Protein backbone atom coordinates (compact mmCIF):
# COMPACT_ATOMS: atom_id res chain seq x y z
CA UNK A 1 0.00 0.00 0.00
CA UNK A 2 0.98 3.65 -0.34
CA UNK A 3 1.31 5.62 2.88
CA UNK A 4 2.47 9.04 4.00
CA UNK A 5 5.24 8.88 6.60
CA UNK A 6 7.26 11.47 8.49
CA UNK A 7 10.92 10.67 7.88
CA UNK A 8 11.81 12.54 11.07
CA UNK A 9 10.13 15.11 13.32
CA UNK A 10 9.85 18.48 11.61
CA UNK A 11 7.90 20.70 9.27
CA UNK A 12 5.53 19.64 6.51
CA UNK A 13 8.47 18.91 4.22
CA UNK A 14 9.31 15.73 6.20
CA UNK A 15 6.14 14.04 4.89
CA UNK A 16 6.75 11.66 2.00
CA UNK A 17 4.83 8.88 0.27
CA UNK A 18 6.28 5.39 0.49
CA UNK A 19 5.29 1.77 -0.06
CA UNK A 20 4.54 -0.35 3.01
CA UNK A 21 3.14 -3.86 3.55
CA UNK A 22 -0.65 -4.11 3.43
CA UNK A 23 -2.34 -4.37 6.83
CA UNK A 24 -4.03 -7.63 7.82
CA UNK A 25 -7.38 -7.80 9.61
CA UNK A 26 -6.84 -9.28 13.06
CA UNK A 27 -9.60 -10.63 15.29
CA UNK A 28 -12.30 -7.99 15.70
CA UNK A 29 -10.86 -5.83 12.92
CA UNK A 30 -11.68 -4.91 9.33
CA UNK A 31 -9.38 -3.58 6.61
CA UNK A 32 -10.61 -0.51 4.73
CA UNK A 33 -9.49 0.50 1.25
CA UNK A 34 -9.21 4.20 1.99
CA UNK A 35 -11.01 6.71 -0.23
CA UNK A 36 -10.03 9.75 1.84
CA UNK A 37 -8.52 10.73 5.18
CA UNK A 38 -9.31 13.81 7.24
CA UNK A 39 -6.70 16.16 8.70
CA UNK A 40 -6.73 17.09 12.38
CA UNK A 41 -4.60 19.40 14.55
CA UNK A 42 -3.22 16.34 16.30
CA UNK A 43 -1.71 15.25 12.98
CA UNK A 44 0.50 18.33 12.99
CA UNK A 45 1.70 17.56 16.51
CA UNK A 46 2.47 13.96 15.59
CA UNK A 47 4.48 15.09 12.57
CA UNK A 48 6.46 17.41 14.86
CA UNK A 49 7.21 14.55 17.26
CA UNK A 50 4.98 15.80 20.10
CA UNK A 51 2.02 13.41 19.92
CA UNK A 52 2.95 9.76 19.39
CA UNK A 53 0.19 7.25 18.67
CA UNK A 54 -1.19 5.10 21.50
CA UNK A 55 0.61 1.86 22.24
CA UNK A 56 -0.11 -0.71 19.56
CA UNK A 57 -1.55 1.77 17.05
CA UNK A 58 -0.13 2.44 13.60
CA UNK A 59 2.57 5.11 13.56
CA UNK A 60 1.21 6.38 10.25
CA UNK A 61 -0.51 9.75 10.76
CA UNK A 62 -4.28 9.98 10.35
CA UNK A 63 -7.16 9.62 12.84
CA UNK A 64 -10.14 9.24 10.49
CA UNK A 65 -10.94 7.92 7.06
CA UNK A 66 -13.63 6.76 4.69
CA UNK A 67 -13.54 3.90 2.21
CA UNK A 68 -14.68 0.40 1.37
CA UNK A 69 -14.18 -2.70 3.51
CA UNK A 70 -11.85 -5.12 1.73
CA UNK A 71 -11.27 -7.72 4.46
CA UNK A 72 -13.06 -8.84 7.63
CA UNK A 73 -11.28 -10.49 10.54
CA UNK A 74 -12.52 -13.19 12.86
CA UNK A 75 -15.15 -12.28 15.47
CA UNK A 76 -16.53 -9.39 13.39
CA UNK A 77 -20.27 -9.13 13.02
CA UNK A 78 -22.33 -6.64 11.06
CA UNK A 79 -19.75 -5.76 8.39
CA UNK A 80 -18.85 -7.42 5.13
CA UNK A 81 -16.52 -6.88 2.19
CA UNK A 82 -17.84 -4.12 -0.05
CA UNK A 83 -19.51 -2.02 2.65
CA UNK A 84 -18.88 1.72 2.29
CA UNK A 85 -17.89 3.11 5.67
CA UNK A 86 -16.07 5.78 7.60
CA UNK A 87 -14.00 5.14 10.70
CA UNK A 88 -12.42 6.64 13.80
CA UNK A 89 -8.74 5.65 13.95
CA UNK A 90 -5.92 5.73 16.48
CA UNK A 91 -3.58 6.07 13.49
CA UNK A 92 -3.01 4.91 9.94
CA UNK A 93 -5.36 7.13 7.97
CA UNK A 94 -2.83 8.64 5.54
CA UNK A 95 -2.61 5.46 3.50
CA UNK A 96 -4.46 3.50 0.85
CA UNK A 97 -5.37 0.75 3.37
CA UNK A 98 -5.91 0.68 7.12
CA UNK A 99 -6.91 -1.92 9.71
CA UNK A 100 -9.36 -0.70 12.35
CA UNK A 101 -11.38 -2.25 15.20
CA UNK A 102 -14.87 -3.00 13.92
CA UNK A 103 -16.49 -1.01 16.74
CA UNK A 104 -14.93 2.18 15.39
CA UNK A 105 -16.39 1.68 11.92
CA UNK A 106 -19.58 3.54 10.99
CA UNK A 107 -21.79 3.48 7.90
CA UNK A 108 -21.57 6.43 5.54
CA UNK A 109 -24.58 8.64 6.40
CA UNK A 110 -27.37 8.94 3.86
CA UNK A 111 -26.75 11.65 1.28
CA UNK A 112 -22.99 11.90 1.90
CA UNK A 113 -20.49 10.86 -0.77
CA UNK A 114 -17.69 8.50 0.14
CA UNK A 115 -14.86 11.07 0.08
CA UNK A 116 -16.77 13.69 2.09
CA UNK A 117 -17.58 11.06 4.72
CA UNK A 118 -13.92 11.20 5.80
CA UNK A 119 -14.64 14.65 7.28
CA UNK A 120 -17.12 13.28 9.83
CA UNK A 121 -15.74 10.63 12.24
CA UNK A 122 -13.31 12.66 14.33
CA UNK A 123 -15.39 15.83 14.61
CA UNK A 124 -18.66 14.00 15.23
CA UNK A 125 -17.14 11.71 17.88
CA UNK A 126 -15.23 14.56 19.53
CA UNK A 127 -18.19 16.90 19.74
CA UNK A 128 -20.74 14.30 20.82
CA UNK A 129 -18.50 12.77 23.48
CA UNK A 130 -17.31 16.08 24.92
CA UNK A 131 -20.18 18.53 24.53
CA UNK A 132 -23.06 16.14 25.21
CA UNK A 133 -21.78 13.00 26.97
CA UNK A 134 -19.24 14.83 29.19
CA UNK A 135 -20.41 18.44 29.11
CA UNK A 136 -24.09 17.57 29.36
CA UNK A 137 -25.29 20.45 27.20
CA UNK A 138 -29.09 20.80 27.25
CA UNK A 139 -31.50 22.81 25.05
CA UNK A 140 -32.02 25.58 27.61
CA UNK A 141 -28.31 26.34 28.00
CA UNK A 142 -25.73 28.60 26.37
CA UNK A 143 -22.77 27.01 24.62
CA UNK A 144 -19.45 28.69 23.74
CA UNK A 145 -17.07 27.00 21.33
CA UNK A 146 -13.68 28.44 20.45
CA UNK A 147 -12.52 28.28 16.83
CA UNK A 148 -16.00 28.12 15.35
CA UNK A 149 -14.83 27.94 11.72
CA UNK A 150 -12.62 24.88 12.21
CA UNK A 151 -13.60 21.26 11.81
CA UNK A 152 -14.59 20.77 15.45
CA UNK A 153 -16.19 24.20 15.66
CA UNK A 154 -18.37 23.86 12.60
CA UNK A 155 -19.73 20.54 13.86
CA UNK A 156 -20.19 21.79 17.43
CA UNK A 157 -22.15 24.84 16.29
CA UNK A 158 -24.50 22.75 14.20
CA UNK A 159 -25.18 20.09 16.83
CA UNK A 160 -25.67 22.55 19.68
CA UNK A 161 -28.03 24.69 17.63
CA UNK A 162 -29.94 21.60 16.47
CA UNK A 163 -30.79 20.65 20.06
CA UNK A 164 -31.95 24.21 20.78
CA UNK A 165 -29.01 25.61 22.76
CA UNK A 166 -27.87 29.20 22.28
CA UNK A 167 -24.49 29.15 20.53
CA UNK A 168 -21.63 31.64 20.87
CA UNK A 169 -18.30 31.18 19.14
CA UNK A 170 -14.94 32.85 18.58
CA UNK A 171 -13.59 33.35 15.06
CA UNK A 172 -10.65 35.04 13.35
CA UNK A 173 -12.24 36.90 10.43
CA UNK A 174 -15.46 38.37 9.10
CA UNK A 175 -15.73 35.55 6.57
CA UNK A 176 -15.44 32.94 9.31
CA UNK A 177 -18.04 34.81 11.35
CA UNK A 178 -20.46 34.59 8.44
CA UNK A 179 -19.84 30.86 8.14
CA UNK A 180 -20.40 30.31 11.86
CA UNK A 181 -23.67 32.22 11.80
CA UNK A 182 -24.85 30.33 8.72
CA UNK A 183 -24.35 27.10 10.68
CA UNK A 184 -26.41 28.25 13.66
CA UNK A 185 -24.24 30.46 15.88
CA UNK A 186 -26.18 33.36 17.34
CA UNK A 187 -23.02 35.34 18.08
CA UNK A 188 -19.60 35.18 16.39
CA UNK A 189 -16.92 36.96 18.44
CA UNK A 190 -13.70 38.21 16.85
CA UNK A 191 -10.91 36.97 19.11
CA UNK A 192 -8.66 39.59 17.50
CA UNK A 193 -10.88 42.59 18.28
CA UNK A 194 -13.24 41.67 21.13
CA UNK A 195 -13.10 40.16 24.61
CA UNK A 196 -15.08 36.93 24.44
CA UNK A 197 -15.66 37.04 28.21
CA UNK A 198 -17.40 40.38 28.06
CA UNK A 199 -19.47 39.39 25.05
CA UNK A 200 -20.47 36.09 26.68
CA UNK A 201 -21.59 37.96 29.80
CA UNK A 202 -23.82 40.20 27.69
CA UNK A 203 -25.60 37.04 26.58
CA UNK A 204 -25.90 35.63 30.07
CA UNK A 205 -22.64 33.69 30.29
CA UNK A 206 -21.81 30.18 29.12
CA UNK A 207 -23.04 26.94 30.64
CA UNK A 208 -20.72 24.75 28.57
CA UNK A 209 -17.45 25.83 26.92
CA UNK A 210 -15.54 23.67 24.44
CA UNK A 211 -11.96 24.88 24.42
CA UNK A 212 -9.03 24.00 22.16
CA UNK A 213 -6.65 26.66 23.51
CA UNK A 214 -5.77 25.30 26.93
CA UNK A 215 -3.56 27.47 29.13
CA UNK A 216 -4.04 30.76 27.31
CA UNK A 217 -7.79 30.80 27.84
CA UNK A 218 -8.09 28.96 31.17
CA UNK A 219 -8.74 31.91 33.49
CA UNK A 220 -10.92 33.75 30.98
CA UNK A 221 -13.00 30.66 30.27
CA UNK A 222 -13.72 30.26 33.98
CA UNK A 223 -14.66 33.95 34.12
CA UNK A 224 -17.14 33.36 31.28
CA UNK A 225 -18.73 30.31 32.94
CA UNK A 226 -22.13 30.45 34.62
CA UNK A 227 -22.76 28.81 38.00
CA UNK A 228 -22.68 25.02 37.57
CA UNK A 229 -20.86 25.59 34.27
CA UNK A 230 -18.62 23.02 32.58
CA UNK A 231 -15.37 23.86 30.81
CA UNK A 232 -14.26 20.99 28.56
CA UNK A 233 -10.66 21.31 27.34
CA UNK A 234 -9.70 19.26 24.27
CA UNK A 235 -6.58 21.05 23.02
CA UNK A 236 -3.47 23.00 23.96
CA UNK A 237 -2.98 25.40 21.06
CA UNK A 238 -2.46 28.15 23.65
CA UNK A 239 -0.09 26.21 25.88
CA UNK A 240 -0.17 23.42 28.46
CA UNK A 241 0.46 25.14 31.81
CA UNK A 242 -1.49 27.89 33.57
CA UNK A 243 -2.52 28.90 37.08
CA UNK A 244 -6.05 27.96 38.12
CA UNK A 245 -7.95 30.25 40.50
CA UNK A 246 -9.70 27.55 42.49
CA UNK A 247 -11.64 30.14 44.49
CA UNK A 248 -13.20 31.47 41.28
CA UNK A 249 -14.13 27.94 40.28
CA UNK A 250 -15.53 27.15 43.73
CA UNK A 251 -17.71 30.26 43.72
CA UNK A 252 -19.29 29.06 40.51
CA UNK A 253 -19.43 25.41 41.56
CA UNK A 254 -17.89 24.84 38.14
CA UNK A 255 -16.08 21.94 36.56
CA UNK A 256 -12.94 21.85 34.43
CA UNK A 257 -12.70 18.63 32.43
CA UNK A 258 -9.77 17.74 30.16
CA UNK A 259 -10.31 14.89 27.73
CA UNK A 260 -8.92 13.34 24.60
CA UNK A 261 -10.42 10.86 22.19
CA UNK A 262 -7.43 9.15 20.60
CA UNK A 263 -6.11 7.57 23.78
CA UNK A 264 -9.42 6.16 25.02
CA UNK A 265 -9.80 2.39 25.27
CA UNK A 266 -11.37 0.69 22.27
CA UNK A 267 -14.55 -0.14 24.17
CA UNK A 268 -15.13 3.55 24.96
CA UNK A 269 -14.58 4.47 21.32
CA UNK A 270 -17.08 1.78 20.34
CA UNK A 271 -19.67 3.33 22.68
CA UNK A 272 -19.01 6.80 21.30
CA UNK A 273 -19.24 5.66 17.67
CA UNK A 274 -22.53 3.89 18.36
CA UNK A 275 -23.89 7.08 19.94
CA UNK A 276 -22.76 9.11 16.91
CA UNK A 277 -24.55 6.79 14.50
CA UNK A 278 -27.69 6.86 16.61
CA UNK A 279 -27.79 10.59 17.38
CA UNK A 280 -25.93 12.47 14.64
CA UNK A 281 -26.27 10.40 11.47
CA UNK A 282 -30.06 10.98 11.25
CA UNK A 283 -29.43 14.74 11.37
CA UNK A 284 -26.82 14.41 8.63
CA UNK A 285 -29.13 12.25 6.52
CA UNK A 286 -31.93 14.81 6.90
CA UNK A 287 -29.61 17.62 5.75
CA UNK A 288 -29.78 19.42 9.11
CA UNK A 289 -26.08 18.83 9.86
CA UNK A 290 -23.35 18.75 7.23
CA UNK A 291 -19.65 18.18 6.85
CA UNK A 292 -17.93 21.47 6.06
CA UNK A 293 -15.03 20.75 3.70
CA UNK A 294 -12.75 23.43 2.28
CA UNK A 295 -10.24 21.40 0.28
CA UNK A 296 -9.66 17.89 -1.00
CA UNK A 297 -6.03 17.26 -1.96
CA UNK A 298 -4.29 14.14 -3.29
CA UNK A 299 -2.63 11.90 -0.72
CA UNK A 300 0.74 12.79 -2.23
CA UNK A 301 0.15 16.46 -1.29
CA UNK A 302 -0.06 15.78 2.45
CA UNK A 303 2.71 18.31 3.09
CA UNK A 304 0.73 21.06 1.35
CA UNK A 305 -2.36 20.07 3.31
CA UNK A 306 -0.41 20.44 6.56
CA UNK A 307 0.86 23.87 5.46
CA UNK A 308 -2.70 24.98 4.78
CA UNK A 309 -3.89 23.81 8.19
CA UNK A 310 -0.97 25.48 9.94
CA UNK A 311 -1.74 28.77 8.20
CA UNK A 312 -5.10 28.99 9.96
CA UNK A 313 -6.66 30.34 6.79
CA UNK A 314 -8.93 27.37 6.13
CA UNK A 315 -12.49 26.79 7.31
CA UNK A 316 -13.93 23.37 8.07
CA UNK A 317 -12.06 20.24 7.10
CA UNK A 318 -9.17 19.43 4.78
CA UNK A 319 -9.16 15.96 3.22
CA UNK A 320 -6.57 13.79 1.49
CA UNK A 321 -8.05 11.60 -1.26
CA UNK A 322 -6.32 8.45 -2.48
CA UNK A 323 -7.80 8.55 -5.99
CA UNK A 324 -6.79 12.08 -7.04
Amino acid sequence: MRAVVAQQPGGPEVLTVTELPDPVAGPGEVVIDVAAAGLNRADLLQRQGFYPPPKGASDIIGMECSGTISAVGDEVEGWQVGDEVCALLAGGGYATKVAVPAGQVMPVPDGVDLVTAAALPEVAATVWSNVFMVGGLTPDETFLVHGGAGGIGTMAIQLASQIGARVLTTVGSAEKAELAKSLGAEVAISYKDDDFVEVAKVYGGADVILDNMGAKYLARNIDALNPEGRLVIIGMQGGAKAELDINALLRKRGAVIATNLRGRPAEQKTTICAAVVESIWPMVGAGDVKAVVQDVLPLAEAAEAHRLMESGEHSGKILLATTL
Side-chain angles (χ1 to χ4, degrees):
M1 70 176 185
R2 289 184 298 124
V4 175
V5 298
Q7 297 174 309
Q8 60 192 30
E13 69 278 358
V14 304
L15 297 176
T16 60
V17 178
T18 189
E19 295 283 336
L20 294 175
D22 289 350
V24 176
E29 293 183 330
V30 302
V31 171
I32 298 173
D33 287 349
V34 176
L39 266 69
N40 292 278
R41 285 279 172 187
D43 299 353
L44 310 184
L45 294 175
Q46 182 172 339
R47 187 204 72 221
Q48 295 163 359
F50 299 134
Y51 191 31
K55 184 178 180 180
S58 170
D59 58 4
I60 298 169
I61 299 172
M63 301 195 303
E64 62 186 337
C65 74
S66 61
T68 304
I69 293 178
S70 59
V72 177
D74 294 338
E75 304 172 15
V76 172
E77 297 179 357
W79 298 113
Q80 59 187 5
V81 172
D83 287 344
E84 292 190 342
V85 297
C86 55
L88 185 68
L89 311 173
Y94 291 17
T96 53
K97 290 179 178 288
V98 64
V100 57
Q104 294 163 218
V105 178
M106 296 170 280
V108 173
D110 292 342
V112 178
D113 68 80
L114 189 57
V115 168
T116 301
L120 289 169
E122 182 72 23
V123 295
T126 296
V127 173
W128 193 259
S129 63
N130 288 293
V131 176
F132 299 97
M133 297 173 74
V134 172
L137 182 69
T138 60
D140 58 339
E141 292 186 314
T142 298
F143 173 59
L144 169 62
V145 56
H146 292 295
I152 297 293
T154 52
M155 179 59 66
I157 289 169
Q158 292 179 84
L159 293 179
S161 63
Q162 280 296 310
I163 72 155
R166 166 180 275 179
V167 181
L168 316 179
T169 189
T170 56
V171 294
S173 69
E175 293 77 15
K176 291 182 178 182
E178 290 181 10
L179 172 62
K181 289 182 177 179
S182 74
L183 296 173
E186 181 175 336
V187 182
I189 307 160
S190 169
Y191 62 75
K192 297 178 180 178
D193 302 318
D194 300 310
D195 182 346
F196 74 80
V197 177
E198 295 305 315
V199 176
K201 288 180 177 179
V202 168
Y203 288 88
D207 299 295
V208 176
I209 300 176
L210 186 64
D211 174 64
N212 58 1
M213 294 301 293
K216 182 178 180 180
Y217 279 8
L218 179 60
R220 296 170 67 201
N221 278 329
I222 292 172
D223 196 11
L225 274 182
N226 282 333
E228 314 288 349
R230 291 83 72 197
L231 167 60
V232 185
I233 301 172
I234 60 170
M236 299 180 291
Q237 292 181 43
K241 294 183 179 181
E243 288 191 1
L244 172 62
D245 185 343
I246 297 197
N247 188 37
L249 194 62
L250 284 170
R251 290 197 304 268
K252 294 190 175 184
R253 302 178 302 282
V256 178
I257 308 155
T259 78
N260 71 20
L261 182 59
R262 189 185 195 188
R264 287 175 180 257
E267 57 269 21
Q268 291 187 18
K269 294 180 184 179
T270 295
T271 298
I272 291 168
C273 288
V276 164
V277 172
E278 179 182 0
S279 300
I280 299 179
W281 270 205
M283 291 187 250
V284 176
D288 297 325
V289 171
K290 64 180 180 179
V292 178
V293 176
Q294 172 165 320
D295 287 298
V296 181
L297 282 70
L299 184 66
E301 294 183 16
E304 180 57 32
H306 274 225
R307 291 187 188 97
L308 176 59
M309 176 166 274
E310 286 180 334
S311 75
E313 296 175 358
H314 71 291
S315 296
K317 296 287 290 188
I318 303 166
L319 304 181
L320 294 172
T322 61
T323 56
L324 293 180

